[in-house]
Amino acid sequence: MKTLKINCFSIVLIFGMLVSCVELTDYSDPKDSEAPAPVSNVQVENLNGGAKITYTLPSDKDLLGAKVSYSLTPEGEMLEKYASVDTIELEGFGDTNEHLVTVYAVDKSGNVSEGVMETIKPLIPPVELIRETLIAGSTFGGITLSWKNTEHKDMGVSLFIPDPVDGEWTLFDTYFSNSVNGEVIFRPFEAVNQQFRIEMFDRWQNNAQPLEVSLTPLAEILLP
């Protein structure tokens, strides 16, 4: 029995030495410094708060995909969005002005092609469309807000009330939602007529036109 254990150990040791001598094949993609050809046939479809950019990718064998370089504002940070397919959708623009974007082809070695510049002109930002549906009303001990968000966009709604000392608008609370039928109740408030300011914004901090209303919350009665 002891001899059998030694023989088994010897076989495993020899096998391990043989495996260590075998040169493993490198299946990783080869690297180069040659930039791919640029994209072609660039088309722009303007969307609410953004744009969809389609293009024809070059036929380079080591092509990874494409990227778009853009900025949400004229003086803002340059952003990049990548895709391995022939479409890239941009979002987050807070205006309907013209914006320059640049489309590049990118290969697996990280080489970037010459850029192709295009102009996009986003449509009305989604947060402004949501703001158009905003309704404010009174409820027991507070106020209720409701709105429509048909595209499930991430957005926030903040309630401001006047500061009792200087009358400046002061943040009371903020609510976040992406529901199609958005609704929130802010409370508690006394049953007296008072001023409220509602601000809606998206995740890029684009703000819609504030809504200022005068409402009287309904009185609450504590039942014994």
Side-chain angles (χ1 to χ4, degrees):
M1 183 65 68
K2 185 175 182 181
T3 303
L4 178 60
K5 289 184 177 179
I6 294 175
N7 290 339
C8 290
F9 176 77
S10 300
I11 292 173
V12 172
L13 180 60
I14 294 172
F15 179 76
M17 293 175 63
L18 290 174
V19 171
S20 64
C21 294
V22 176
E23 183 177 353
L24 299 177
T25 303
D26 183 6
Y27 290 103
S28 62
D29 295 317
K31 301 294 183 180
D32 62 55
S33 58
E34 183 178 351
V39 300
S40 59
N41 192 31
V42 179
Q43 303 290 327
V44 171
E45 178 187 354
N46 294 311
L47 306 173
N48 292 109
K52 181 167 68 175
I53 303 174
T54 58
Y55 42 81
T56 300
L57 291 166
S59 58
D60 297 56
K61 293 182 179 180
D62 64 340
L63 187 71
L64 181 62
K67 72 172 182 178
V68 176
S69 178
Y70 65 102
S71 177
L72 296 176
T73 60
E75 304 299 328
E77 175 188 4
M78 293 303 299
L79 306 174
E80 292 182 339
K81 191 165 186 179
Y82 291 80
S84 58
V85 293
D86 60 357
T87 302
I88 293 180
E89 187 170 321
L90 306 180
E91 56 183 345
F93 293 88
D95 56 51
T96 56
N97 301 328
E98 291 187 345
H99 298 264
L100 286 176
V101 301
T102 308
V103 188
Y104 303 90
V106 183
D107 67 17
K108 296 178 180 179
S109 297
N111 300 310
V112 179
S113 72
E114 293 183 4
V116 178
M117 296 187 68
E118 286 292 334
T119 299
I120 67 171
K121 195 176 189 301
L123 306 180
I124 297 174
V127 68
E128 294 187 16
L129 297 178
I130 297 171
R131 163 64 179 82
E132 292 176 0
T133 69
L134 178 63
I135 298 175
S138 299
T139 189
F140 290 100
I143 68 169
T144 178
L145 306 176
S146 62
W147 59 86
K148 297 293 183 181
N149 181 3
T150 58
E151 299 299 323
H152 286 280
K153 298 296 185 180
D154 295 326
M155 49 78 62
V157 54
S158 293
L159 179 68
F160 293 81
I161 58 175
D163 185 277
V165 177
D166 57 18
E168 294 291 327
W169 289 113
T170 303
L171 178 64
F172 177 79
D173 200 1
T174 298
Y175 175 78
F176 297 93
S177 172
N178 63 1
S179 299
V180 172
N181 298 305
E183 185 175 12
V184 61
I185 295 176
F186 290 110
R187 57 191 308 276
F189 290 105
E190 296 182 2
V192 296
N193 185 267
Q194 47 196 300
Q195 298 294 316
F196 299 95
R197 177 186 174 101
I198 301 103
E199 295 185 4
M200 306 190 84
F201 58 92
D202 62 22
R203 61 191 181 94
W204 295 275
Q205 298 303 311
N206 296 314
N207 292 275
Q209 180 68 28
L211 172 65
E212 295 185 11
V213 294
S214 177
L215 294 171
T216 303
L218 303 180
E220 288 187 302
I221 300 176
L222 181 62
L223 298 177

